[in-house]
Amino acid sequence: AFVKPSARDDAWYRFDDEQVTRVTEQDAVADNFGGPAPGAQRDAVLSHFRCANAYMLVYIRKSAMHRVLCPIEYDDIPRAVHERFEKERKQNGMPKDAAEAHIYVSVKVVDPALLAQHSDFDLIDFNTVPDVRFRRLDSYQTFTQQLEELLKIPQAEMQFWKWEPRLNGTCRPSFYIPNPTNDEVAIEKVFLLPPKSKEPLHLFVHGSIPTPLLPVNCSVTSLASLATATSHTHTDKGCVLLFLKAYDAAKATLMMLGLQIVGLNTSLSELFAIVTSSIHELSMDTSYDVYEEVRPSLVERLDPQLTVDQAALEDGDILIFQPQKKPTFRRGGSRFEHPTREGDVPATQAT
C-alpha cells in the first residue's frame, strides 16, 4: 500500500508488511497501473512489464484534506487498538524495543573535539563513543538539527564520512557522504543503510575548520573545499582526507593535531607548516621525521619529499610527525613504543 500521510508535503510511503519506506510520487502513483516498464521494447518479455496495479483508490475532498490528513497523536488511537498491539507483542515474546528495532538506527558520531581527547594509536576507541538513536525515516534536516545541538557544529557546515573497516583490522573514516540536495530525504537513504540491519552506523562529522597560516607556495586545501567534493575517492576528487599527529619523544606520547584535506601533488614536507602552527614552541623552519600509522603499534617511515600520491596515501590515513631534534626517547618503561629517530625505531614497530 502507498500512503501520503500529510497534506503539507509531497512525501509518499510504501507499506509492505512491517517495512515502511519513503518513495517518490512516481513510485507510488505512475508505476502502479501496469504496462511496460520505462525503456522496455515492444516485444520485450513479461519481466520487462510492470506487474503492480492499483486495486483500491481513496480520494479525499480538497476542502477536507487538512482535517482528514491532520497529524495523529497517541491519544487519537483507540484504546482497543493499543491493547491489541500490546497483546500481540506479548504473544510473540518480543520486548517493545526489539519489536521496533527495525524502525531505528543506532549512530556513533565522532567529531574533531572527540578525536582531540584521544592520545593513543588509531583515531578513537568506539567504546567511549555514546550511541544516539534515530528513526531510519528521520529526515536529514531533523538528523543534522539534533547533531548541531549535541556537537555545536553549525548544521550548514556539516560534512560526513562513514567509517570503513580495512583488511589490516583498522577502521577509518574514508567514505565521503555528499550532502543531499533535498534536506527532507530519509537518513537511511543518505547514509546507505542496509534494510533491517541492526548494526550501528559509525560516522565522522566535521565543520569548516580555519586553515592554518601557511607559506604562499603551500598547496594545502582548506577543509571547506569538501563542500564541492563529488566523491570519496582520491582519484577523482584530487585530494585526500588525512589525520595529523605529533610524537613527543621527551614524553613518549602522541598528540592529535587535527585533520586536513590535502592535494595529491602536495609533498609531505609541505605539511610541516601545518604541524608547526599547532605546536607553538617550535620554530617555523622545524623539520620532521614522517611516519604513516598503518595500524596500532605498526608505523612506516616515509620520505618527506614524496608527494601524497607517491606515498599512496588514502582518505582516512594517519601521519605522525616527529621534530628532528636530539632524541630523548628512553628505552623501556614507557607506555608506548612510538617511532623515534632513525636507528632507535624498534624493528617490530616501523619499517
Side-chain angles (χ1 to χ4, degrees):
F2 294 89
V3 177
K4 181 182 179 183
S6 174
R8 292 176 296 178
D9 57 44
D10 295 327
W12 284 84
Y13 293 88
R14 181 176 185 267
F15 289 73
D16 183 7
D17 295 330
E18 77 278 7
Q19 290 294 308
V20 180
T21 55
R22 189 166 178 171
V23 297
T24 65
E25 184 172 353
Q26 175 74 22
D27 296 329
V29 181
D31 287 350
N32 286 282
F33 291 90
Q41 302 297 322
R42 177 171 299 188
D43 57 348
V45 296
L46 183 62
S47 61
H48 288 84
F49 282 74
R50 292 176 290 198
C51 60
N53 287 273
Y55 59 89
M56 182 177 70
L57 298 177
V58 178
Y59 294 90
I60 300 174
R61 186 174 311 206
K62 287 185 177 181
S63 60
M65 184 176 297
H66 292 281
R67 177 171 56 83
V68 175
L69 296 181
C70 63
I72 299 177
E73 305 296 338
Y74 182 88
D75 293 338
D76 295 332
I77 303 175
R79 174 175 294 184
V81 176
H82 285 299
E83 293 175 349
R84 177 178 175 181
F85 285 162
E86 184 66 17
K87 181 179 179 180
E88 290 180 354
R89 182 178 63 79
K90 291 181 178 179
Q91 288 176 344
N92 293 332
M94 185 181 298
K96 182 178 180 180
D97 287 347
E100 297 181 349
H102 66 282
I103 302 176
Y104 296 90
V105 59
S106 177
V107 184
K108 286 181 174 287
V109 184
V110 179
D111 67 336
L114 202 55
L115 291 185
Q117 302 175 23
H118 187 76
S119 58
D120 204 333
F121 279 115
D122 222 332
L123 292 175
I124 197 70
D125 178 3
F126 277 105
N127 292 322
T128 66
V129 182
D131 289 342
V132 186
R133 201 177 187 213
F134 294 92
R135 288 180 175 271
R136 296 171 66 98
L137 292 179
D138 278 346
S139 69
Y140 181 80
Q141 173 80 3
T142 300
F143 177 76
T144 52
Q145 281 179 344
Q146 293 187 40
L147 287 188
E148 182 176 23
E149 295 177 3
L150 290 173
L151 306 177
K152 309 306 178 185
I153 297 177
Q155 183 180 5
E157 297 179 5
M158 289 182 181
Q159 301 292 330
F160 291 96
W161 300 73
K162 287 181 72 173
W163 294 75
E164 291 193 314
R166 295 186 173 184
L167 295 178
N168 61 10
T170 62
C171 190
R172 303 283 176 80
S174 55
F175 190 95
Y176 176 64
I177 303 294
N179 293 341
T181 55
N182 181 5
D183 284 347
E184 294 302 319
V185 175
I187 60 173
E188 68 174 3
K189 288 190 175 182
V190 175
F191 299 112
L192 310 176
L193 300 180
K196 300 184 179 181
S197 174
K198 297 180 180 180
E199 293 297 319
L201 171 65
H202 294 78
L203 292 177
F204 174 67
V205 59
H206 63 79
S208 298
I209 301 177
T211 305
L213 295 175
L214 303 174
V216 176
N217 60 350
C218 185
S219 58
V220 175
T221 306
S222 168
L223 280 175
S225 66
L226 266 184
T228 58
T230 57
S231 173
H232 70 282
T233 57
H234 68 283
T235 54
D236 52 12
K237 72 181 172 78
C239 52
V240 296
L241 171 69
L242 297 179
F243 294 88
L244 311 181
K245 294 181 179 180
Y247 176 66
D248 187 335
K251 299 178 181 179
T253 57
L254 281 172
M255 177 177 65
M256 173 61 71
L257 300 179
L259 57 151
Q260 194 68 46
I261 301 299
V262 181
L264 293 177
N265 295 325
T266 302
S267 68
L268 302 184
S269 61
E270 287 183 86
L271 301 180
F272 291 173
I274 297 178
V275 177
T276 304
S277 69
S278 302
I279 307 176
H280 302 296
E281 59 267 25
L282 299 178
S283 62
M284 288 302 293
D285 60 352
T286 302
S287 295
Y288 299 83
D289 292 326
V290 185
Y291 301 84
E292 179 189 358
E293 182 184 316
V294 180
R295 57 180 172 81
S297 300
L298 177 62
V299 297
E300 293 182 356
R301 191 185 183 100
L302 298 175
D303 182 350
Q305 301 309 312
L306 291 176
T307 65
V308 170
D309 191 30
Q310 291 169 339
L313 297 176
E314 300 178 346
D315 290 324
D317 281 347
I318 303 171
L319 292 180
I320 300 175
F321 295 82
Q322 179 181 337
Q324 291 182 348
K325 301 194 300 184
K326 182 178 180 180
T328 56
F329 181 76
R330 294 174 294 176
R331 293 179 180 275
S334 62
R335 181 181 176 188
F336 306 109
E337 290 189 63
H338 297 312
T340 59
R341 292 300 302 271
E342 188 172 6
D344 291 332
V345 182
T348 58
Q349 300 297 315
T351 57

